[in-house]
Amino acid sequence: MLTSLILLLLLAVQCKGWLSPVPTYRSSTWLRESPSSASSMESAVVLIDPITDWKQVIDAAASLGLVVIAVQLPAEALPAKFQPFLPTTFALQEAGVDHVLSVEQRDVFSITQQLQILAIDFNLNLMGVIPLSEIAVEVSDCVASCLGLPHNILDRVTARRDKGMMKSAVESAGLRIAKYARVASMQDVNDAMSRLSLCYPIVLKTPAGMSTTDVFICSSNQEAISAITSIIGNTGPDGRRVEKALLEEYIGGVEFAINLMAFSSRDNNTPPRILVTDVWKYKKTKQARYGQAEICNPADYPALLTYATNVAEAVGVQVGAAHVELKAEEVQGGSFANPVMIEVGARLSGGRKSIMTQSAVQNWNPFEALIQSHSMQTCQTNPQNTNFLTPTKFVRHIFLPILKRGRVANIDLEVSSLATLHSSAMIVKVGDIVDVTTDIVSCAGFVWLVGDRDQVDKDTDAVMSSFVLSVIDA
């Protein structure tokens, strides 16, 4: 009886996260149902919900000699503005994916089962499971765990998706966070503001949102009521019904994105190594919120780097990419201090940041590093003598806003003569009915520049002066 009670107590303690079990990783060869020579097996990598930089990851897998399996999560629950970013099954196959599994729901058992059957049928050794979208973050860790493959800490999986749980984990690690509360009504908002000694502006958001969607900066009761109405009782960006919104203290300062890559060792006694791969500073406009993002030298922001890596550790990041969005205060001398987390994502950052970093940093392939991290293989481009990578070129990401609701009548944008043009994308087209830009995915388009800083500045001016989006009343 006493032994049973002790076992129950230990199980309860472990479930609470007080005793986090050390994961043991193995290859998927244990899945074999019939004898087979391990040497004849092909190594494979699994991409969950391939959206962010999916072509580059597929190319990297091919260069590493890996079979690529893509798992497409159900898209019908996602908001319409996300749909254009989803590749079709045919597009994935054309890009080099060997096997595509399209699932009807985010069912970890079913996905794991299908992957195991596929591995048996095609004699595959599954090496790693990689999330390529925000909604894939939770699924990939759970599936990887079921397959006995490298994954982030499971008892903090909610802290890598839910912004409230995220703040709780970060605060528990002794790091500064914004004040927050979960609210289900305007009365809750008023009570929380009083309890937390907050005044307007405040932030109201969907707890498990993404890509700045369903994030409202409210300066009055009327705006807060509108935000609550938009969030609660509706379907969130991840396709789930939202029962409560997250109220957050509005933090002033300059916004940064710190991108990271975590490398774990098969030696369980060695802590993961977290490398800062790139740092981005945002410039915002009042109308469109995001105006530009530019790459920075990480050496200039030591306090931010330390904070970001500590945040990643706090939410259990041990393998793969992560990006920490934060705000910091500019202090005397142009340096930045007192960072506060906005959120952390346990995946590649969007906005082609990894692609642009590859253009700006010598001998760095973020996509090969991502695959090698998730499969615990030696990363050939992982420098051991530094905690961050230094760009040798300047990069700027320009956001092209929509400033009026209506029908697009004309679009003018001249980029062909730009000396530093890397790439551009126009999301809207003539005839589309558009709304005013409120987040990243509702921009009209984007331009990416890379090269000498002075020339990038000149080309930025040329882009902004040439861009005209004519919108008429619909």
Side-chain angles (χ1 to χ4, degrees), residues 265-302:
S265 168
R266 294 188 183 277
D267 176 7
N268 291 330
N269 296 318
T270 302
R273 176 172 182 263
I274 298 182
L275 176 72
V276 176
T277 60
D278 46 301
V279 175
W280 297 78
K281 180 166 66 175
Y282 287 98
K283 293 183 178 180
K284 292 191 171 184
T285 64
K286 184 176 181 180
Q287 299 90 343
R289 300 173 69 173
Y290 286 97
Q292 299 174 9
E294 56 187 42
I295 203 166
C296 305
N297 185 348
D300 296 335
Y301 306 93

Side-chain angles (χ1 to χ4, degrees), residues 53-113:
D53 299 340
W54 58 275
K55 290 182 179 179
Q56 288 72 23
V57 177
I58 292 169
D59 289 344
S63 71
L64 295 171
L66 299 173
V67 171
V68 180
I69 304 169
V71 177
Q72 291 182 298
L73 299 181
E76 61 273 6
L78 296 180
K81 60 185 175 182
F82 284 92
Q83 302 294 331
F85 298 94
L86 305 178
T88 63
T89 298
F90 178 73
L92 290 170
Q93 292 170 334
E94 268 203 325
V97 172
D98 299 282
H99 305 279
V100 179
L101 300 178
S102 296
V103 298
E104 295 181 358
Q105 55 185 336
R106 282 170 277 181
D107 180 344
V108 170
F109 175 85
S110 176
I111 294 171
T112 302
Q113 179 189 47

